[in-house]
Amino acid sequence: MEVQKEAQRIMTLSVWKMYHSRMQRGGLRLHRSLQLSLVMRSARELYLSAKVEALEPEVSLPPACPSDPRLHPPREVESTVETATADGEQPSPEPMDTQEAPTAEEIPAYSAPRPAKVSRKRRSSSLRDGGDAGLVPSKKARLEEKEEEEGLSSEVADRLQPPPAQAEGAFPNLARVLQRRFSGLLNCSPAAPPTAPPACEAKPACRPADSMLNVLVRTVVAF
Amino acid sequence: RLAEAANAGPVGGVERDASVRGDSPSASTHTPPRARAPRLSPGALPRAPGSTPCDQRPGILAPRPPSAPGAAPRAPHPRSGRSLLGAPPRPPARAGSRARRRRRRSGRRARPPAAARRTPVAVAACGAAHGPAAGLASPRAPAPRPPPRARAHAPLLFCQLTAPPPRPAAPAADQGSWCLCQLNGAADLEVSEADIISTVEFNHTGELLATGDKGGRVVIFQREPESKNAPHSQGEYDVYSTFQSHEPEFDYLKSLEIEEKINKIKWLPQQNAAHSLLSTNDKTIKLWKITERDKRPEGYNLKDEEGKLKDLSTVTSLQVPVLKPMDLMVEVSPRRIFANGHTYHINSISVNSDCETYMSADDLRINLWHLAITDRSFNIVDIKPANMEDLTEVITASEFHPHHCNLFVYSSSKGSLRLCDMRAAALCDKHSKLFEEPEDPSNRSFFSEIISSVSDVKFSHSGRYMLTRDYLTVKVWDLNMEARPIETYQVHDYLRSKLCSLYENDCIFDKFECAWNGSDSVIMTGAYNNFFRMFDRNTKRDVTLEASRESSKPRAVLKPRRVCVGGKRRRDDISVDSLDFTKKILHTAWHPAENIIAIAATNNLYIFQDKVNSEMH
């Protein structure tokens, strides 16, 4: 989990850096962009391999997993960031909300399916980003709830889609994705100094999706 | 700036091309389209006129209109002042002569009457807009003469090394006893970005030291010859000349600004009384000629002293003009401008040992130029893949062999070195030797690829070895062994566990340089917290020293520093977490013959000398 969180954080960071390098004086630096894309690729590989590893023991996932959200749809003020809309169009995993969560929980649209046996475990495993890796999962959920309630749009239907079978799912076209992603990034922290991208990371907007990664990497390379 | 540049558009639409290319204004301005360099057969001479590929033309570069002479938009160059060290306490008996001594020092030493007083008047001529004809000594120097003494923040006193060198107390002789010789630069806490030094280079004799900064300026220091009056004092490096080498430019085709930061300076071997150097920014290389003028013809028949025509009725006799001595003036003029040769950002230049050609390397290509020809260059290395999505490595540094004019090496972002022989083929895509060390799988991490990228490569003076610097190590390679380096030194291995935070604050992308000493026995490189490290190859000892105002008293021997990584901690150790990563020493240079080093710490230039071991061994 740590590994995946770390990988995702690094991916976000890389994209942020790449985006901002375009605005630097002197134009895009080829070497820097190449290094950023290499880091992103290794982070992505790590993320995917960690996900695959996590998937294997959960082949025997009970069907109760996807039924949870259906049981408690009204409970959730489903909130996702606007960029998650794009990602949400991809198959999203089962929701993290559990019976323990009294209020809305934010659901990153691309967490891998996790065993439903321990709801706490599911929540923590589905949690992405949020900054501190040392937080206890329940605390993390609350943290993200607070961020959620800062006025993000909500998506309900996304939750009910089946978990992603593979990395290459249907994904929206490039322009829309990029537009949403970058507008999300822009809304994140436009004034953040280059050395403080964590401000951006903390916002759910900056999480890349599984199939989004392909798009991003390709975009970045095409840069 | 965009508006400015746009307004400047119609001005010199024709002469702009000519001036940018450095041709004489009368030359034809029609630029033949640059066809792709023909791949010549192996038997063809490498000097056959190739041309740079047409896709390398980055678009019309419009030089920004230079600031009007007279307006002094730039503050006096912070490094143009004198050394900022306090002088050692002078013996009280000679208090009366202090002022006299200082004045004499500012007027240089007593010399033969011909060059009595040298004043470092900077004659800056940024040639891009004026064309190569400009640059003659003009009475109205665009750059104001650096105020001799008035620096608001620090008293200007000279480092007078009159006392005999102190007895080496603690440091072992083989570690050297380095003392701060002088320090040039502003002491302000807020450093303007334009003053950050971006390159340091000694010339071949060590008499001159050139520094370039992010604002496009070059400052040249000259070592004072040792005075007979004070036999113990070593020569100090005084400002010799300051000029604006590059200006920010705008590439209209790509809508990109081209930074004026000086990436590299390389001296040409001196062939006559003048000195020449090449300075480059991201796109354009310029050849500057530095000459001295200390005589002036006087006594013209038709013109008077100011150059005005005389009234012929006042001319009663004829005279022959004579050369009279004058205040020494240092003139700098751009002799050649090598532009439009690179699509990507130039990272290094290197002068060939044949003293006629040089090469410039950007991320994907290396071009060979002739020093006298500016409108064409020969492409000798091209690693651009057909599909840019397949790009996996870029060129990071390159250098010619010091003795063999056909050999050069270039390093890549993957940590490999390629030695190429220009006799083998016109296009040296195929290397003659590939120096690569297999990666240590135990050190693999997210960032392995970034930290293995070679940031600098330097041939040893003997030509047998190469020194490479990647993020955490310096390695010495033997040209005869390609499998692995013969020596590897850890510069700051304690950072290996901190790579993630270094990635966040962008420090992992820092490009450190490395340097050999004159006898190739010691190698030096910079690190963080204004530390720099020296490794003695013979004794296998290394030392970490710090370049800072606080810890450098004049003539006091530098104390070795240590970074503690847990375990036993000594009193003056610094912990890894308290290192200041904004203070980095990227650029260092070593005098070619003596134990004198120049360290660039942000906007300050430190010059250290090892007086105990002034001879290299």
Side-chain angles (χ1 to χ4, degrees), chain B residues 312-334:
Chain B
L312 283 180
S313 55
T314 63
V315 178
T316 51
S317 62
L318 292 178
Q319 55 184 345
V320 176
V322 290
L323 291 174
K324 294 260 177 75
M326 57 180 257
D327 287 352
L328 187 72
M329 225 183 341
V330 179
E331 303 164 9
V332 182
S333 65

PDB file of all heavy atoms in Angstrom, chain B residues 312-334:
ATOM      1  N   LEU B 312      42.573  74.279 -40.836  1.00  0.00           N
ATOM      2  CA  LEU B 312      43.814  74.121 -41.580  1.00  0.00           C
ATOM      3  C   LEU B 312      44.735  75.320 -41.437  1.00  0.00           C
ATOM      4  O   LEU B 312      45.945  75.220 -41.599  1.00  0.00           O
ATOM      5  CB  LEU B 312      43.506  73.879 -43.063  1.00  0.00           C
ATOM      6  CG  LEU B 312      43.045  72.466 -43.356  1.00  0.00           C
ATOM      7  CD1 LEU B 312      42.750  72.296 -44.832  1.00  0.00           C
ATOM      8  CD2 LEU B 312      44.103  71.466 -42.940  1.00  0.00           C
ATOM      9  N   SER B 313      44.163  76.432 -41.138  1.00  0.00           N
ATOM     10  CA  SER B 313      45.020  77.603 -41.016  1.00  0.00           C
ATOM     11  C   SER B 313      45.911  77.514 -39.795  1.00  0.00           C
ATOM     12  O   SER B 313      46.947  78.162 -39.721  1.00  0.00           O
ATOM     13  CB  SER B 313      44.157  78.862 -40.933  1.00  0.00           C
ATOM     14  OG  SER B 313      43.238  78.732 -39.866  1.00  0.00           O
ATOM     15  N   THR B 314      45.534  76.692 -38.850  1.00  0.00           N
ATOM     16  CA  THR B 314      46.358  76.596 -37.655  1.00  0.00           C
ATOM     17  C   THR B 314      47.486  75.593 -37.820  1.00  0.00           C
ATOM     18  O   THR B 314      48.368  75.499 -36.981  1.00  0.00           O
ATOM     19  CB  THR B 314      45.529  76.165 -36.429  1.00  0.00           C
ATOM     20  OG1 THR B 314      45.015  74.852 -36.686  1.00  0.00           O
ATOM     21  CG2 THR B 314      44.365  77.113 -36.189  1.00  0.00           C
ATOM     22  N   VAL B 315      47.441  74.853 -38.880  1.00  0.00           N
ATOM     23  CA  VAL B 315      48.494  73.857 -39.076  1.00  0.00           C
ATOM     24  C   VAL B 315      49.678  74.533 -39.726  1.00  0.00           C
ATOM     25  O   VAL B 315      49.601  74.996 -40.861  1.00  0.00           O
ATOM     26  CB  VAL B 315      47.978  72.699 -39.954  1.00  0.00           C
ATOM     27  CG1 VAL B 315      49.090  71.691 -40.186  1.00  0.00           C
ATOM     28  CG2 VAL B 315      46.771  72.052 -39.313  1.00  0.00           C
ATOM     29  N   THR B 316      50.727  74.612 -38.993  1.00  0.00           N
ATOM     30  CA  THR B 316      51.891  75.326 -39.517  1.00  0.00           C
ATOM     31  C   THR B 316      53.017  74.384 -39.861  1.00  0.00           C
ATOM     32  O   THR B 316      53.890  74.711 -40.638  1.00  0.00           O
ATOM     33  CB  THR B 316      52.394  76.338 -38.478  1.00  0.00           C
ATOM     34  OG1 THR B 316      52.559  75.643 -37.231  1.00  0.00           O
ATOM     35  CG2 THR B 316      51.398  77.467 -38.324  1.00  0.00           C
ATOM     36  N   SER B 317      53.029  73.234 -39.236  1.00  0.00           N
ATOM     37  CA  SER B 317      54.119  72.309 -39.555  1.00  0.00           C
ATOM     38  C   SER B 317      53.569  70.910 -39.507  1.00  0.00           C
ATOM     39  O   SER B 317      52.505  70.650 -38.955  1.00  0.00           O
ATOM     40  CB  SER B 317      55.256  72.467 -38.542  1.00  0.00           C
ATOM     41  OG  SER B 317      54.775  72.140 -37.260  1.00  0.00           O
ATOM     42  N   LEU B 318      54.297  70.035 -40.074  1.00  0.00           N
ATOM     43  CA  LEU B 318      53.879  68.634 -40.077  1.00  0.00           C
ATOM     44  C   LEU B 318      54.601  67.887 -38.983  1.00  0.00           C
ATOM     45  O   LEU B 318      55.737  68.199 -38.633  1.00  0.00           O
ATOM     46  CB  LEU B 318      54.200  67.993 -41.429  1.00  0.00           C
ATOM     47  CG  LEU B 318      53.389  68.515 -42.608  1.00  0.00           C
ATOM     48  CD1 LEU B 318      53.838  67.826 -43.879  1.00  0.00           C
ATOM     49  CD2 LEU B 318      51.900  68.286 -42.369  1.00  0.00           C
ATOM     50  N   GLN B 319      53.946  66.905 -38.451  1.00  0.00           N
ATOM     51  CA  GLN B 319      54.560  66.089 -37.417  1.00  0.00           C
ATOM     52  C   GLN B 319      54.185  64.631 -37.659  1.00  0.00           C
ATOM     53  O   GLN B 319      53.211  64.328 -38.341  1.00  0.00           O
ATOM     54  CB  GLN B 319      54.061  66.535 -36.038  1.00  0.00           C
ATOM     55  CG  GLN B 319      52.544  66.525 -35.940  1.00  0.00           C
ATOM     56  CD  GLN B 319      52.045  67.064 -34.615  1.00  0.00           C
ATOM     57  OE1 GLN B 319      52.805  67.190 -33.675  1.00  0.00           O
ATOM     58  NE2 GLN B 319      50.760  67.363 -34.551  1.00  0.00           N
ATOM     59  N   VAL B 320      54.992  63.820 -37.096  1.00  0.00           N
ATOM     60  CA  VAL B 320      54.699  62.380 -37.183  1.00  0.00           C
ATOM     61  C   VAL B 320      54.037  61.970 -35.873  1.00  0.00           C
ATOM     62  O   VAL B 320      54.560  62.247 -34.796  1.00  0.00           O
ATOM     63  CB  VAL B 320      55.984  61.564 -37.380  1.00  0.00           C
ATOM     64  CG1 VAL B 320      55.682  60.074 -37.376  1.00  0.00           C
ATOM     65  CG2 VAL B 320      56.660  61.977 -38.678  1.00  0.00           C
ATOM     66  N   PRO B 321      52.880  61.339 -35.940  1.00  0.00           N
ATOM     67  CA  PRO B 321      52.225  60.926 -34.680  1.00  0.00           C
ATOM     68  C   PRO B 321      53.126  59.948 -33.926  1.00  0.00           C
ATOM     69  O   PRO B 321      53.801  59.113 -34.518  1.00  0.00           O
ATOM     70  CB  PRO B 321      50.947  60.228 -35.144  1.00  0.00           C
ATOM     71  CG  PRO B 321      50.741  60.649 -36.545  1.00  0.00           C
ATOM     72  CD  PRO B 321      52.075  60.996 -37.119  1.00  0.00           C
ATOM     73  N   VAL B 322      53.117  60.090 -32.625  1.00  0.00           N
ATOM     74  CA  VAL B 322      53.890  59.191 -31.782  1.00  0.00           C
ATOM     75  C   VAL B 322      52.932  58.446 -30.855  1.00  0.00           C
ATOM     76  O   VAL B 322      51.846  58.908 -30.558  1.00  0.00           O
ATOM     77  CB  VAL B 322      54.943  59.936 -30.943  1.00  0.00           C
ATOM     78  CG1 VAL B 322      56.044  60.453 -31.830  1.00  0.00           C
ATOM     79  CG2 VAL B 322      54.295  61.055 -30.170  1.00  0.00           C
ATOM     80  N   LEU B 323      53.392  57.291 -30.414  1.00  0.00           N
ATOM     81  CA  LEU B 323      52.586  56.508 -29.473  1.00  0.00           C
ATOM     82  C   LEU B 323      52.955  56.940 -28.063  1.00  0.00           C
ATOM     83  O   LEU B 323      54.094  56.853 -27.639  1.00  0.00           O
ATOM     84  CB  LEU B 323      52.882  55.020 -29.655  1.00  0.00           C
ATOM     85  CG  LEU B 323      52.384  54.417 -30.969  1.00  0.00           C
ATOM     86  CD1 LEU B 323      52.858  52.988 -31.115  1.00  0.00           C
ATOM     87  CD2 LEU B 323      50.860  54.456 -31.011  1.00  0.00           C
ATOM     88  N   LYS B 324      51.941  57.391 -27.388  1.00  0.00           N
ATOM     89  CA  LYS B 324      52.158  57.806 -26.023  1.00  0.00           C
ATOM     90  C   LYS B 324      51.465  56.811 -25.096  1.00  0.00           C
ATOM     91  O   LYS B 324      50.402  56.279 -25.435  1.00  0.00           O
ATOM     92  CB  LYS B 324      51.552  59.194 -25.790  1.00  0.00           C
ATOM     93  CG  LYS B 324      52.206  60.307 -26.546  1.00  0.00           C
ATOM     94  CD  LYS B 324      53.155  61.058 -25.636  1.00  0.00           C
ATOM     95  CE  LYS B 324      53.888  62.143 -26.403  1.00  0.00           C
ATOM     96  NZ  LYS B 324      52.997  63.289 -26.668  1.00  0.00           N
ATOM     97  N   PRO B 325      52.003  56.576 -23.949  1.00  0.00           N
ATOM     98  CA  PRO B 325      51.323  55.645 -23.029  1.00  0.00           C
ATOM     99  C   PRO B 325      50.035  56.257 -22.517  1.00  0.00           C
ATOM    100  O   PRO B 325      49.884  57.455 -22.410  1.00  0.00           O
ATOM    101  CB  PRO B 325      52.334  55.453 -21.898  1.00  0.00           C
ATOM    102  CG  PRO B 325      53.225  56.638 -21.971  1.00  0.00           C
ATOM    103  CD  PRO B 325      53.254  57.090 -23.385  1.00  0.00           C
ATOM    104  N   MET B 326      49.103  55.378 -22.228  1.00  0.00           N
ATOM    105  CA  MET B 326      47.834  55.835 -21.679  1.00  0.00           C
ATOM    106  C   MET B 326      47.393  54.850 -20.609  1.00  0.00           C
ATOM    107  O   MET B 326      48.036  53.810 -20.408  1.00  0.00           O
ATOM    108  CB  MET B 326      46.773  55.895 -22.787  1.00  0.00           C
ATOM    109  CG  MET B 326      46.592  54.566 -23.482  1.00  0.00           C
ATOM    110  SD  MET B 326      45.376  54.603 -24.776  1.00  0.00           S
ATOM    111  CE  MET B 326      44.013  53.824 -23.989  1.00  0.00           C
ATOM    112  N   ASP B 327      46.327  55.167 -19.976  1.00  0.00           N
ATOM    113  CA  ASP B 327      45.750  54.225 -19.011  1.00  0.00           C
ATOM    114  C   ASP B 327      45.410  52.948 -19.728  1.00  0.00           C
ATOM    115  O   ASP B 327      44.830  52.950 -20.801  1.00  0.00           O
ATOM    116  CB  ASP B 327      44.468  54.808 -18.415  1.00  0.00           C
ATOM    117  CG  ASP B 327      44.784  55.917 -17.441  1.00  0.00           C
ATOM    118  OD1 ASP B 327      45.967  56.104 -17.129  1.00  0.00           O
ATOM    119  OD2 ASP B 327      43.839  56.587 -17.019  1.00  0.00           O
ATOM    120  N   LEU B 328      45.751  51.880 -19.114  1.00  0.00           N
ATOM    121  CA  LEU B 328      45.503  50.605 -19.769  1.00  0.00           C
ATOM    122  C   LEU B 328      44.008  50.397 -19.947  1.00  0.00           C
ATOM    123  O   LEU B 328      43.228  50.527 -19.023  1.00  0.00           O
ATOM    124  CB  LEU B 328      46.072  49.462 -18.928  1.00  0.00           C
ATOM    125  CG  LEU B 328      46.006  48.123 -19.620  1.00  0.00           C
ATOM    126  CD1 LEU B 328      47.018  48.074 -20.746  1.00  0.00           C
ATOM    127  CD2 LEU B 328      46.269  47.006 -18.644  1.00  0.00           C
ATOM    128  N   MET B 329      43.634  50.060 -21.147  1.00  0.00           N
ATOM    129  CA  MET B 329      42.241  49.781 -21.412  1.00  0.00           C
ATOM    130  C   MET B 329      42.125  48.363 -21.937  1.00  0.00           C
ATOM    131  O   MET B 329      42.909  47.932 -22.771  1.00  0.00           O
ATOM    132  CB  MET B 329      41.705  50.757 -22.466  1.00  0.00           C
ATOM    133  CG  MET B 329      40.383  51.258 -22.023  1.00  0.00           C
ATOM    134  SD  MET B 329      39.381  52.337 -22.981  1.00  0.00           S
ATOM    135  CE  MET B 329      40.333  53.114 -24.176  1.00  0.00           C
ATOM    136  N   VAL B 330      41.163  47.651 -21.402  1.00  0.00           N
ATOM    137  CA  VAL B 330      40.936  46.283 -21.849  1.00  0.00           C
ATOM    138  C   VAL B 330      39.721  46.292 -22.763  1.00  0.00           C
ATOM    139  O   VAL B 330      38.653  46.715 -22.370  1.00  0.00           O
ATOM    140  CB  VAL B 330      40.691  45.348 -20.655  1.00  0.00           C
ATOM    141  CG1 VAL B 330      40.439  43.936 -21.144  1.00  0.00           C
ATOM    142  CG2 VAL B 330      41.868  45.374 -19.717  1.00  0.00           C
ATOM    143  N   GLU B 331      39.926  45.870 -23.968  1.00  0.00           N
ATOM    144  CA  GLU B 331      38.827  45.891 -24.919  1.00  0.00           C
ATOM    145  C   GLU B 331      38.388  44.482 -25.208  1.00  0.00           C
ATOM    146  O   GLU B 331      39.197  43.584 -25.397  1.00  0.00           O
ATOM    147  CB  GLU B 331      39.275  46.505 -26.242  1.00  0.00           C
ATOM    148  CG  GLU B 331      39.819  47.898 -26.100  1.00  0.00           C
ATOM    149  CD  GLU B 331      40.602  48.284 -27.340  1.00  0.00           C
ATOM    150  OE1 GLU B 331      40.562  47.535 -28.328  1.00  0.00           O
ATOM    151  OE2 GLU B 331      41.246  49.329 -27.292  1.00  0.00           O
ATOM    152  N   VAL B 332      37.096  44.321 -25.249  1.00  0.00           N
ATOM    153  CA  VAL B 332      36.538  43.012 -25.545  1.00  0.00           C
ATOM    154  C   VAL B 332      35.613  43.171 -26.740  1.00  0.00           C
ATOM    155  O   VAL B 332      34.757  44.046 -26.743  1.00  0.00           O
ATOM    156  CB  VAL B 332      35.733  42.478 -24.351  1.00  0.00           C
ATOM    157  CG1 VAL B 332      35.190  41.102 -24.653  1.00  0.00           C
ATOM    158  CG2 VAL B 332      36.585  42.421 -23.109  1.00  0.00           C
ATOM    159  N   SER B 333      35.807  42.368 -27.728  1.00  0.00           N
ATOM    160  CA  SER B 333      34.918  42.482 -28.883  1.00  0.00           C
ATOM    161  C   SER B 333      34.508  41.092 -29.349  1.00  0.00           C
ATOM    162  O   SER B 333      35.294  40.150 -29.284  1.00  0.00           O
ATOM    163  CB  SER B 333      35.610  43.229 -30.016  1.00  0.00           C
ATOM    164  OG  SER B 333      36.705  42.487 -30.493  1.00  0.00           O
ATOM    165  N   PRO B 334      33.290  40.982 -29.812  1.00  0.00           N
ATOM    166  CA  PRO B 334      32.834  39.696 -30.334  1.00  0.00           C
ATOM    167  C   PRO B 334      33.390  39.496 -31.736  1.00  0.00           C
ATOM    168  O   PRO B 334      33.107  40.279 -32.631  1.00  0.00           O
ATOM    169  CB  PRO B 334      31.314  39.817 -30.356  1.00  0.00           C
ATOM    170  CG  PRO B 334      31.065  41.270 -30.465  1.00  0.00           C
ATOM    171  CD  PRO B 334      32.235  42.002 -29.902  1.00  0.00           C
TER     172      PRO B 334
END
